[in-house]
Each structure stands twice: as structure tokens, then as C-alpha cells.
Amino acid sequence: MDSLKHALKEWAVAIEALERGRTALLIRKGGIREKSFAVPEARFLLYKSYEHQRPELLKLAYRDLLRDSPSRRDDEPIVLTSFAEVVGAYEISEPEALAALEPHHMWSREYAEKRFRWRPKKPLTVLVLRTHLLPEPVELPYSESYGGCKSWVELESQVPIEGATPALDERDFEELAAPALEVLQDLEPASVGTS
């Protein structure tokens, strides 16, 4: 049976946008505990976190997702509803490239620029993701090892992904991702996968 154990921690509102087919992009620079952001696997579960998300860090068009998001704490049992496949991974090292990508992501311009300036010697990583919805939500107990400001979590148990369905069909996904991929195609690709 097909299953995954590796999960990317991301704001619940961003995962909701991926699951609803409203975005295909995540922009990452890694957590405080990480020296840099790397993508160790081409497929991974999406782990919703709630602690840092705030409406002013999102574009107005995405704030409704935050209003709809349940009020949860990060130390409660985790509920997994999707996984993602990396379609593209790119590094942004110049402010001009970030500005060109601005129409295609969900973050406020100020927040995206703040992430870009944090640890200025490290590039931002832009992930273009195809999201798949699990047939049923999977609830797992919270573990202390999942806590803290880090990007990747190795879950204590495998999560079956058999029967998952794409959030968007092929044509709709291509329509959503194509404008961003056009901007990203000339950038340095980020490596994906260690195995």
C-alpha cells in the first residue's frame, strides 16, 4: 500500500488554499531551527500549523480562508487531509524575481519581502505543488518531536495515501500553475529529494 511519513509544516490557511485549488505555490526559507530550507522528498504530507498565521500577512483575496479555518493549537492532535507532489522547485535570490512572482502567490507583498530579507545570504525557495486530497482525514496524536519552528516532520506512523484525488484536474492545474512557472523558468532550480 502507498503511504507517506514525511510531512511539511505549513500554515493551515496555505494548505487550505492548495487543497481548494486557489494556489499552487509555497514560498519557504526554513524555520528558525534550520540553517536553510531543503526539499528532501518529491512527495510529502501537508501538516497544518496555526501558530503564526495572521490576516495581514495574506493578500485580501485569501483572508476568507483564514476566517474559515478552525481555531486550533499546534500541540493538539494533528489532522492530515492532503499530500503534495513537487512539480517545480526554484530559488529566488534577487528582489526583482520576487516582485515578478508577486501576482502568483497568496502572501502580502510586505510579508514576502520580509521572508526574502530574513537570512539574506540564503535564497527563498518557491515550490510549485500539485495537491492531492486524502479520501478521509487522518488524525494522529501530537508528538513533542513535531513541535517548534521547523519545516519538516517525520511522523511516527505511515499515513496511507491510496485513493487520494487531485485537488484540481490536469487542465485546471496547468492553467493555475502556468503563469508562475513562466516567471520561474529562468531561475536557479532547487534540488528535490535526497534518495
Side-chain angles (χ1 to χ4, degrees):
M1 179 165 47
D2 212 1
S3 62
L4 296 172
K5 201 173 179 182
H6 213 67
L8 175 66
K9 283 177 75 173
E10 181 57 85
W11 290 1
V13 67
I15 293 174
E16 190 68 31
L18 289 166
E19 290 178 347
R20 292 190 189 187
R22 290 185 49 187
T23 190
L25 298 187
L26 290 182
I27 297 177
R28 300 298 303 243
K29 213 170 201 182
I32 291 169
R33 296 181 178 192
E34 300 160 333
K35 290 186 174 147
S36 62
F37 181 76
V39 187
E41 304 288 340
R43 288 191 323 167
F44 44 82
L45 294 155
L46 294 168
Y47 180 131
K48 296 175 184 174
S49 71
Y50 299 85
E51 191 174 333
H52 299 296
Q53 52 184 21
R54 296 195 313 273
E56 66 273 15
L57 305 179
L58 304 171
K59 290 177 183 168
L60 284 172
Y62 293 91
R63 291 184 186 174
D64 63 306
L65 296 174
L66 193 55
R67 286 191 298 272
D68 295 346
S69 184
S71 179
R72 291 180 56 94
R73 292 193 335 260
D74 283 353
D75 60 357
E76 294 182 44
I78 61 171
V79 179
L80 301 161
T81 51
S82 58
F83 75 92
E85 289 181 283
V86 178
V87 172
Y90 303 88
E91 293 183 351
I92 291 184
S93 299
E94 301 299 328
E96 298 78 20
L98 180 62
L101 194 64
E102 203 272 331
H104 309 294
H105 64 72
M106 65 185 289
W107 314 109
S108 71
R109 177 177 288 145
E110 297 76 20
Y111 181 65
E113 288 172 356
K114 180 180 175 185
R115 294 301 295 162
F116 178 77
R117 289 191 305 268
W118 185 65
R119 292 186 174 156
K121 293 181 181 173
K122 302 287 182 188
L124 270 178
T125 300
V126 180
L127 298 176
V128 182
L129 301 176
R130 181 114 194 250
T131 303
H132 299 263
L133 308 175
L134 299 177
E136 296 288 333
V138 175
E139 185 172 309
L140 298 176
Y142 175 76
S143 165
E144 290 288 326
S145 67
Y146 303 164
C149 192
K150 57 187 170 191
S151 300
W152 299 102
V153 169
E154 194 72 24
L155 299 172
E156 292 182 354
S157 56
Q158 293 281 344
V159 174
I161 61 168
E162 201 170 307
T165 55
L168 292 173
D169 66 29
E170 192 72 38
R171 188 178 58 92
D172 289 343
F173 176 76
E174 285 176 10
E175 209 171 276
L176 177 68
L181 285 167
E182 196 170 310
V183 172
L184 294 164
Q185 66 185 350
D186 296 327
L187 298 179
E188 187 71 29
S191 66
V192 176
T194 53
S195 49

